[in-house]
Amino acid sequence: MNNKRRGVMLGSVAAVVLLAAGCGSETENFRTANAAQPAGSKSPSGGNGNGDGYGSGYGSGSGYGADSAADPAAGSGSGAGAKGAPAGQLAVRAIQSVGNVVTDGAGATLYRFDKDTAQPPKSACDGSCATTWPAVPADDATASAGISADLLGAVVRPDGSRQLTLAGWPVYRYAKDTQAGEAKGEGVGGTWHALAADGKKAVDQKGAQAKPADGSTMGQMGSGDMGAGQGGADQKGAELSVAKDAKLGNILVDGAGRTLYRFNKDSAWPMKFGCLGACLDTWKPAAAVDKKKVNAIPEALVGSVKRPDGSMQLTIDCWPVYTFTGDTAPGQTNGHNKQGLWFAVTDAGKKAPAAG
């Protein structure tokens, strides 16, 4: 299949991914083509491009990791994510959209990078990546209640500085976190995650922490008008399943019950990402799933695609899908029809009705 290049001079560069075989096939059937610009990268009507977070930043900014360019807007060396600021006494703080995360002495959320290694500790974030994701110095770091001092360590960076590690994982701040308690870096590029006290990803432990007042497991039940969905108890352990929403009908949710969305600025053929950079602060790429853990959805609709940072994103009927940080509990659909660009996905792989 011949690669196609579409040069549309409307703003930031988006990555194009062409399918070497049929859409929805396995990962090895995807290949990256030459970069092309998105079909539209100016802020849509109703967005100001400066923090509305609903797609106005698509195709702009950085923050993927080692391959990112430095982001001039990422910070100037001050604020919660300031480069080189001492770690101080680490603490555990509950952030609604993420879970219980580790923060430094100033309240800044601390992160780990999937491209790093913990055994042995090694950082893969250098150069421009380290501008957006400043390494946390190790020398003055101390642990408080809820964090074991035995998990704290250090790794020597290429410049000779000592970077803090937690359970072996090099520790970073995010330059766009400018206030204590922010976690804008969670899920950026699918490879950056807020740290839990044991060095694991805080978001992975959130589901186990969140329980309704009666003590039962929240599972796929929503806090709004989401029903139990198809499959009932059979959905337990599913990484992708169907839930019934009173307004939208049968829609897809991930293993934590979060609604999945598709973006009109993406495309399915050729496969193209319109959500990059600052867009990823708000819309998190859904991770690829094990097809054996998919419930009540035709297997032919389920696929995956490699993003520019190398992470694998779930696709439904060839479309990349995302979760929305504005959905703070399972069952919410706050991202549906945002700016007329983002839509929940039905069990047939289509956009849910805008008027839902």
Side-chain angles (χ1 to χ4, degrees):
M1 179 181 65
N2 294 326
N3 291 344
K4 296 182 180 179
R5 179 175 298 179
R6 299 175 65 192
V8 183
M9 302 305 294
L10 293 176
S12 305
V13 175
V16 174
V17 178
L18 296 179
L19 283 73
C23 177
S25 54
E26 296 301 319
T27 300
E28 57 264 28
N29 288 331
F30 293 99
R31 58 192 175 93
T32 302
N34 294 323
Q37 293 181 335
S41 58
K42 293 181 180 179
S43 297
S45 176
N48 59 17
N50 285 312
D52 62 13
Y54 298 134
S56 60
Y58 55 80
S60 62
S62 61
Y64 289 133
D67 298 328
S68 300
D71 185 353
S76 58
S78 62
K83 182 178 180 179
Q89 187 176 57
L90 307 186
V92 178
R93 176 172 183 162
I95 298 179
Q96 186 177 27
S97 61
V98 183
N100 293 333
V101 307
V102 178
T103 62
D104 67 10
T109 299
L110 302 181
Y111 299 89
R112 51 177 274 182
F113 184 31
D114 284 351
K115 293 183 179 180
D116 290 349
T117 59
Q119 300 296 333
K122 184 177 180 181
S123 171
C125 180
D126 203 359
S128 59
C129 172
T131 300
T132 303
W133 301 91
V136 177
D139 294 339
D140 75 329
T142 59
S144 64
I147 302 173
S148 173
D150 293 341
L151 295 181
L152 302 186
V155 62
V156 178
R157 295 184 59 79
D159 63 2
S161 63
R162 285 164 45 85
Q163 180 177 2
L164 176 66
T165 62
L166 179 61
W169 287 98
V171 178
Y172 306 83
R173 300 182 180 97
Y174 184 41
K176 291 185 180 180
D177 286 345
T178 58
Q179 297 180 23
E182 291 184 330
K184 296 178 180 177
E186 169 55 41
V188 168
T191 56
W192 290 93
H193 298 281
L195 276 160
D198 58 1
K200 297 180 181 179
K201 303 172 186 178
V203 72
D204 287 347
Q205 301 179 14
K206 184 183 177 187
Q209 297 159 0
K211 292 186 177 181
D214 63 2
S216 61
T217 301
M218 184 177 292
Q220 300 295 335
M221 292 300 293
S223 63
D225 53 6
M226 184 77 76
Q230 298 179 353
D234 292 337
Q235 294 192 59
K236 185 176 181 181
E239 296 180 356
L240 178 65
S241 56
V242 178
K244 186 172 182 60
D245 181 88
K247 295 181 178 179
L248 304 180
N250 292 336
I251 59 174
L252 302 188
V253 297
D254 68 6
R258 294 173 296 194
T259 300
L260 297 175
Y261 300 89
R262 53 185 269 188
F263 184 33
N264 278 4
K265 297 295 182 179
D266 287 347
S267 72
W269 190 273
M271 191 167 287
K272 178 181 66 182
F273 296 113
C275 184
L276 297 169
C279 175
L280 296 172
D281 291 339
T282 302
W283 301 92
K284 308 300 185 183
V289 301
D290 181 349
K291 288 189 176 183
K292 295 180 180 178
K293 297 182 179 180
V294 170
N295 186 67
I297 302 161
E299 184 174 309
L301 293 179
V302 182
S304 60
V305 64
K306 183 179 289 187
R307 291 191 61 83
D309 69 327
S311 63
M312 300 307 301
Q313 182 173 3
L314 173 66
T315 63
I316 300 295
D317 195 25
C318 308
W319 287 86
V321 293
Y322 306 78
T323 57
F324 177 46
T325 58
D327 290 341
T328 57
Q332 294 184 343
T333 56
N334 297 321
H336 182 66
N337 201 24
K338 280 294 182 187
Q339 295 185 330
L341 295 171
W342 294 89
F343 295 91
V345 182
T346 71
D347 56 347
K350 308 302 180 184
K351 293 191 297 185

